[in-house]
Amino acid sequence: MDTSELLRRVRSIEIKTKAITNNIFAGEYHSAFKGRGMSFAEVREYQPGDDIRDIDWNVTARMNRPYVKVFEEERELTLMLLIDLSASQNFGTHQRTQRELATEIAATLAFSAMKNNDKIGVIFFTDRIEKFIPPQKGRKHVLYIIRELLDFKPQGNRTNVGMALEYLVKIMTKRSIAFVLSDFLTTDDYSRPLMVAARKHDVVALHLYDQCMASLPDIGLIKVTDAETGHEQYLDTSSKATRQHQQKWWQAHNEELATRFSKSKVDYTSIATDADYVRPLMNLFAQR
């Protein structure tokens, strides 16, 4: 992608996702992800309805009328985006690929964090750690992340979620909000790394998929290629048995994900490439 086209796409994503952030997400993000506690801000004169436990007795004694302490949330948080860039993320049969969906969602989350003055960091992963972008604040940093999401070319093809979670735990010493964006199509058992990461960080899983994975269209004989392994085979999608087999596999895959995330106390939602991602994220935030 040449520089002018890349800048055009970065700007396009900024306009779209900032509009969503400003109109919908920033407040929801703030409510869903709390700061580390409350710190003293100031004292003011007591008003009817104030909690008497907040009365500052020293100031009250000096002023001869009641004053209360005012506290504010210690807000500064770190948002970490763990983004799967394996070959399967380039799959998409409708409006966009899974990677394009991940880019839009990541940009929306990053602008929401920026609006709340939080830091944003990124881990790109496949079956290896492809790139680590240390957490920083500001629009320039968010635009750099979007640019990398659009143009970065990974070395690996396969997916290793457990390795990415282990890297998060190792690299981030302080508690963070960690969104994992992936199709979670992997043979590695990441149950233990997920539990360890969820104890240290506030982990949220976003399961990205294409509707074709959930339900094969009836379009006759097709050639399919596993993007991560290169394995090729033909599928007769006109066969009802073939379509039912795919649906059963998809259902089992989703049940396994739900069980794994539930055991680790990780919030998650599934988002299709041809769907609006705003509603699933709003519902996820509201549940918190």
Side-chain angles (χ1 to χ4, degrees), residues 29 33 77-83 106 109-110 113 118-124 131-136 141 145 164-165 167-169 171-181 201-206:
Y29 170 92
F33 303 102
L77 301 173
T78 298
L79 171 71
M80 288 299 301
L81 300 170
L82 281 67
I83 304 175
L109 293 171
D118 295 340
K119 294 180 179 179
I120 308 104
V122 178
I123 298 171
F124 292 157
K131 187 180 184 72
F132 170 57
I133 302 176
Q136 291 184 37
H141 182 64
I145 290 171
L165 292 166
Y167 186 79
L168 170 72
V169 170
I171 205 76
M172 296 299 295
T173 55
K174 293 183 178 179
R175 184 173 178 82
S176 67
I177 306 160
F179 278 84
V180 186
L181 289 76
H201 301 282
D202 187 353
V203 179
V204 181
L206 301 182

Side-chain angles (χ1 to χ4, degrees), residues 194 257-266 268:
L194 182 64
L257 287 182
T259 300
R260 183 169 288 170
F261 294 140
S262 177
K263 283 184 177 178
S264 301
K265 295 181 173 60
V266 167
Y268 89 102

Side-chain angles (χ1 to χ4, degrees), residues 234-252:
Y234 285 90
L235 284 180
D236 182 7
T237 62
S238 63
S239 165
K240 185 177 180 180
T242 298
R243 296 197 303 272
Q244 286 179 339
H245 176 77
Q246 175 70 13
Q247 287 177 339
K248 287 180 181 178
W249 170 84
W250 180 250
Q251 184 178 353

Side-chain angles (χ1 to χ4, degrees), residues 194-211:
L194 182 64
M195 286 184 179
V196 173
R199 282 198 293 266
K200 185 174 181 181
H201 301 282
D202 187 353
V203 179
V204 181
L206 301 182
H207 173 217
L208 312 182
Y209 70 97
D210 189 271
Q211 281 291 356

Side-chain angles (χ1 to χ4, degrees), residues 86 125-130 155-160 163:
S86 62
F125 71 95
T126 54
D127 54 2
R128 66 196 77 185
I129 300 301
E130 296 282 353
Q155 298 296 310
N157 286 325
R158 302 195 182 195
T159 310
N160 192 321
M163 175 208 58

Side-chain angles (χ1 to χ4, degrees), residues 17 20-21 24-33 79 81 96 101-112 177-181 204-208 267-272 275-288:
T17 57
I20 294 171
T21 299
I24 302 172
F25 265 95
E28 297 292 334
Y29 170 92
H30 184 99
S31 300
F33 303 102
L79 171 71
L81 300 170
R96 55 197 160 196
L101 175 61
T103 299
E104 286 193 31
I105 293 173
T108 301
L109 293 171
F111 279 121
S112 296
I177 306 160
F179 278 84
V180 186
L181 289 76
V204 181
L206 301 182
H207 173 217
L208 312 182
D267 293 330
Y268 89 102
T269 191
S270 296
I271 306 172
D276 174 23
Y277 61 84
V278 172
R279 181 53 53 192
L281 287 179
M282 291 285 286
N283 290 341
L284 182 70
F285 288 178
Q287 289 168 11
R288 298 173 61 90

